[in-house]
Amino acid sequence: VLRVADKLPKIGPEGVAAELRDEVGLDEAGVASVLAFMAEPVTTREAVAALAERFAESPRGREGVDELVTLLSILDAAGVGDRVSVDLSIARGLDYYTGSIYETFVTDREGFGSVMSGGRYDTLLGMFLKESIPAVGISIGIDRLISLLEDLGLVASRSGVGDVFVT
């Protein structure tokens, strides 16, 4: 379900619904429930806290809501809570994410896509180290960020030739 839900921006609700039916095997009620959940606006801290009621019967769901409430409280205390929004439609189907995920967009330039993303992935390092280690990481979309800065006129576009190129 998460792998299909992650495609929402690319294939839209109709495409997600079709894949949930055809590839995941959900019935119409299940498809409607997933789409309704992803479309649910969570614009206030009270709405985030209300998610706890929705997951009252799910220990894992309650844990996720508690983590989200804690994260938003930290951001509020840091004075940046008003610059953060919760989007229940963002999902990552990668097996190593174990908590909140992040997408960073430049206000009024969302069309450029995410310029930074990442999340909590306690099991990723364990794939290599054979033990679970709490971790959070991000990646920065340098090409998108540079393109955005050029579009805003903050840097000049230029090209050059290098003597050495290392990848």
Side-chain angles (χ1 to χ4, degrees):
V1 170
L2 291 176
R3 283 188 176 99
V4 173
D6 193 38
K7 298 177 183 180
L8 184 64
K10 295 177 182 132
I11 64 174
E14 296 82 17
V16 168
E19 287 194 23
L20 287 172
R21 277 189 303 273
D22 301 340
E23 295 180 25
V24 178
L26 292 183
D27 61 17
E28 289 302 320
V31 170
S33 178
V34 169
L35 290 176
F37 178 76
M38 291 191 312
E40 193 170 307
V42 181
T43 56
T44 65
R45 298 302 184 247
E46 293 79 19
V48 172
L51 289 172
E53 291 177 29
R54 169 173 266 187
F55 296 108
E57 301 300 317
S58 168
R60 183 110 190 240
R62 285 193 318 271
E63 180 184 348
V65 172
D66 291 345
E67 287 179 10
L68 185 56
V69 168
T70 299
L71 176 62
L72 292 171
S73 296
I74 291 168
L75 293 169
D76 287 341
V80 295
D82 61 330
R83 300 167 94 179
V84 174
S85 63
V86 175
D87 184 343
L88 299 177
S89 72
I90 297 176
R92 289 293 172 264
L94 301 176
D95 294 335
Y96 55 78
Y97 282 114
T98 57
S100 298
I101 57 171
Y102 314 95
E103 294 283 340
T104 305
F105 299 89
V106 175
T107 305
D108 298 328
R109 300 288 187 179
E110 290 85 359
F112 275 90
S114 175
V115 295
M116 185 171 63
S117 62
R120 179 83 184 241
Y121 47 80
D122 294 353
T123 59
L124 177 63
L125 296 175
M127 292 177 182
F128 305 103
L129 302 176
K130 307 299 181 222
E131 67 178 291
S132 181
I133 298 175
V136 175
I138 60 168
S139 64
I140 298 174
I142 296 293
D143 55 337
R144 287 185 185 174
L145 200 50
I146 290 172
S147 179
L148 176 65
L149 292 171
E150 288 173 349
D151 187 65
L152 292 170
L154 298 174
V155 296
S157 179
R158 60 183 184 170
S159 62
V161 177
D163 294 327
V164 178
F165 181 71
V166 178
T167 60

